[in-house]
Every structure is written in structure tokens, then in C-alpha cells.
Amino acid sequence: MCESKVAILKDGKEEIIMEDVVRIEVEGDTVKLFGLLGEMTEVKGKIKLMDMKNHKILLEG
């Protein structure tokens, strides 16, 4: 499987906001995260880093 953890950078620290993310959609300044079981979370921000080897995506808000 290719799920990733998504974290957001706040005050210089990474805070995990969702695990097992299988799809990401970017619409303007909104990032929609879709989970393995169909759940969805919307976050204001932009993608700063995508590390596919370590299954980690970092957002900056």
C-alpha cells in the first residue's frame, strides 16, 4: 500500500493531521486529504514537501 502521513508545520514543529492518506487534491489555498477508509479532511495551506520514500507529506499553513 502507498498510504502517507500528512503533517502541518506550526511554530517550527510538525503536527500530524491525518494518517493513511491515499489521495490529495489542491484547490487554491485548500488541500483536501482523503483517507484509506473514505474519510476527508480540508486544510488551509500549501504543500511544502512530499517524501514518497518515507510516506510523509508536509504542509505549510
Side-chain angles (χ1 to χ4, degrees), residues 4-60:
S4 295
K5 289 182 182 178
V6 177
I8 192 162
L9 193 59
K10 288 186 177 181
D11 300 322
K13 295 182 182 180
E14 294 179 15
E15 177 184 319
I16 293 178
I17 54 174
M18 192 169 181
E19 296 190 30
D20 299 325
V21 174
V22 295
R23 179 183 174 118
I24 298 174
E25 294 179 7
V26 179
E27 295 179 2
D29 65 345
T30 301
V31 180
K32 292 183 180 180
L33 309 171
F34 296 87
L36 184 63
L37 302 175
E39 67 275 25
M40 192 268 290
T41 300
E42 288 188 19
V43 180
K44 294 286 184 190
K46 62 181 181 177
I47 296 173
K48 180 174 177 75
L49 169 77
M50 292 180 70
D51 183 350
M52 304 316 279
K53 181 179 177 187
N54 293 307
H55 305 279
K56 175 182 169 183
I57 298 164
L58 183 62
L59 305 179
E60 185 174 56

